Amino acid sequence: MSRNSDKINLIDQKAYSKLRDDKDTAPKNTPRSSKYKYKHRKPEQQTSLLDFVVKPRPKTQRQIKVRKLHKPHLTTTRNNYIQGIKRKGKTRLKPKKKITKLKRSVRCYRTVKKEESAVTEKKNDAAPKDCSKFPLKVYSVELQVERLSLIEPPTSIESSHAKEIHSIHSRRFRSYCDNCTRPRLKELVKHLLQELDRFQKRAFAKNEIKARAHPRMVLGFREAVARLRINKVKLLLLATDCESCPGEYGLDKTIESLKFQCQQEKVPYCFPLVRRELSHTLQKRAQISCVAILDCDGVNATYADLLKEIEDARAEYKLRTAL
């Protein structure tokens, strides 16, 4: 058989019909315009409203982080942070409140003072027979006085720092203060506290865990003493009208020990405002007696001016008390 034979072009009927059917069912080139986009579909595959629904893309980690940063300020609080977290260990139905030695001594001194004033009033107003109605109260007062050691002589720290009461001293400006309260000093302290409070609230709104780890300032004697031990305090602010409370763990001895520690570690301290003014500046309900400033970034100029003003106010106090 030669190579140019026509027998090679012959195919059977079955193969021919198969090729013809495949040619008829071959996909046709459909127009790509939006008008004829879905014309080639079967009737059950025609367009519906679901074809026009836009599915949202899954958010990336970066988008979630940006959204958290753009939240409104002051939305995060401690209760929201703790809410929904199961605490480990045992929990009490009625948790006990921990009372510090300082608070306990202040409370005892207040009760002693109240009972003493009540007894003296009764003695002065009533007859001697009426005074026999209060033997238990007088006895309890004497016991509390002995327990608080209110009649103890002053220690070495108290005697070295104690000063005589001058005419400039009063209930609102007690004898432990060693600088004058000038208007410029008050203005600088208020500006410093307001700015640091604003920075701290902004940090709490962004990330509460980091803000609690690196606070700008702390309030109260206990927090101030704890930060002084680890040399974290840049400036200590004390109220000028703290309540008088003698004793081993009283307020008077606590303030004197704070002053002594600041002088030893060369930490600046001052007495600029009364308790109510400090709480009003920081927008707190309770009166504030002590503020320890830990970080002054952002208000360094105000901090430097405040240190100069403290030196001038202390020099003025020495001149006034020397007269």
Side-chain angles (χ1 to χ4, degrees):
M1 184 174 65
S2 65
R3 300 183 67 181
N4 296 327
S5 175
D6 293 335
K7 289 183 179 180
I8 197 169
N9 296 327
L10 295 176
I11 57 174
D12 57 349
Q13 188 67 24
K14 187 176 179 181
Y16 175 73
S17 60
K18 186 177 180 182
L19 287 171
R20 186 182 60 189
D21 295 340
D22 291 344
K23 192 179 286 186
D24 292 339
T25 57
K28 298 179 181 179
N29 293 328
T30 57
R32 302 299 297 171
S33 65
S34 60
K35 185 177 180 180
Y36 301 99
K37 189 173 181 181
Y38 300 107
K39 287 289 183 181
H40 64 283
R41 287 188 176 183
K42 294 179 181 179
E44 60 271 10
Q45 293 181 346
Q46 289 301 320
T47 58
S48 63
L49 292 175
L50 294 175
D51 295 331
F52 299 98
V53 175
V54 179
K55 294 181 181 180
R57 295 180 180 178
K59 292 183 180 179
T60 60
Q61 194 70 20
R62 186 177 180 183
Q63 290 174 341
I64 295 169
K65 191 175 181 181
V66 168
R67 188 177 178 185
K68 283 183 179 179
L69 290 176
H70 287 290
K71 280 184 177 180
H73 293 321
L74 311 180
T75 55
T76 308
T77 58
R78 188 175 181 182
N79 294 333
N80 294 339
Y81 172 67
I82 295 175
Q83 190 176 6
I85 299 176
K86 188 177 180 181
R87 294 179 176 273
K88 292 183 179 179
K90 297 178 181 178
T91 55
R92 294 177 179 268
L93 294 174
K94 296 179 180 179
K96 296 180 180 178
K97 290 184 179 180
K98 293 183 180 179
I99 302 173
T100 59
K101 292 180 179 178
L102 178 61
K103 187 68 176 177
R104 194 181 295 114
S105 65
V106 169
R107 286 180 178 177
C108 288
Y109 185 73
R110 284 174 183 170
T111 55
V112 167
K113 212 171 181 182
K114 278 184 181 179
E115 291 180 357
E116 281 183 347
S117 62
V119 169
T120 52
E121 285 178 3
K122 290 291 182 181
K123 281 183 179 179
N124 295 332
D125 298 340
K129 59 180 181 179
D130 297 333
C131 294
S132 61
K133 296 180 181 178
F134 309 97
L136 295 175
K137 286 191 175 182
V138 176
Y139 186 64
S140 63
V141 168
E142 292 175 357
L143 283 178
Q144 288 180 358
V145 168
E146 290 177 3
R147 185 181 60 187
L148 287 171
S149 64
L150 300 177
I151 317 174
E152 282 184 354
T155 58
S156 59
I157 296 175
E158 287 178 349
S159 60
S160 60
H161 292 276
K163 295 182 180 180
E164 295 180 359
I165 297 176
H166 201 266
S167 60
I168 64 173
H169 296 136
S170 62
R171 188 179 60 83
R172 291 172 61 86
F173 187 78
R174 291 191 56 210
S175 58
Y176 60 77
C177 304
D178 57 1
N179 64 268
C180 293
T181 55
R182 310 168 92 187
R184 175 66 176 164
L185 180 67
K186 290 184 177 182
E187 183 183 348
L188 288 172
V189 168
K190 286 180 180 180
H191 181 261
L192 181 72
L193 290 176
Q194 286 171 355
E195 289 297 310
L196 291 177
D197 187 43
R198 184 171 64 85
F199 294 155
Q200 188 157 302
K201 286 178 179 177
R202 185 178 64 183
F204 267 72
K206 287 185 179 179
N207 191 335
E208 188 172 0
I209 298 174
K210 288 185 179 179
R212 288 193 181 279
H214 305 284
R216 291 298 191 102
M217 59 183 176
V218 292
L219 311 179
F221 286 106
R222 185 183 64 178
E223 297 293 334
V225 170
R227 296 311 194 285
L228 270 173
R229 286 173 184 167
I230 56 176
N231 300 323
K232 291 287 184 180
V233 180
K234 299 291 177 62
L235 176 63
L236 187 68
L237 304 175
L238 296 165
T240 60
D241 62 338
C242 289
E243 187 178 354
S244 62
C245 179
E248 187 179 357
Y249 301 107
L251 268 176
D252 295 346
K253 190 170 182 180
T254 304
I255 292 172
E256 293 298 335
S257 62
L258 277 173
K259 287 171 60 178
F260 180 74
Q261 196 170 354
C262 288
Q263 291 168 3
Q264 292 295 319
E265 298 176 3
K266 296 181 180 180
V267 175
Y269 67 93
C270 70
F271 306 90
L273 305 168
V274 297
R275 290 177 291 174
R276 193 172 293 279
E277 288 175 343
L278 281 173
S279 60
H280 179 72
T281 304
L282 295 174
Q283 298 178 357
K284 302 287 184 183
R285 290 184 179 180
Q287 293 183 353
I288 299 171
S289 300
C290 180
V291 181
I293 295 172
L294 311 179
D295 189 4
C296 296
D297 290 344
V299 283
N300 291 321
T302 308
Y303 176 69
D305 295 341
L306 181 59
L307 292 181
K308 293 179 182 177
E309 192 65 28
I310 290 170
E311 292 178 1
D312 297 342
R314 194 157 286 144
E316 183 182 349
Y317 177 82
K318 287 180 180 178
L319 287 174
R320 282 194 172 190
T321 52
L323 297 175

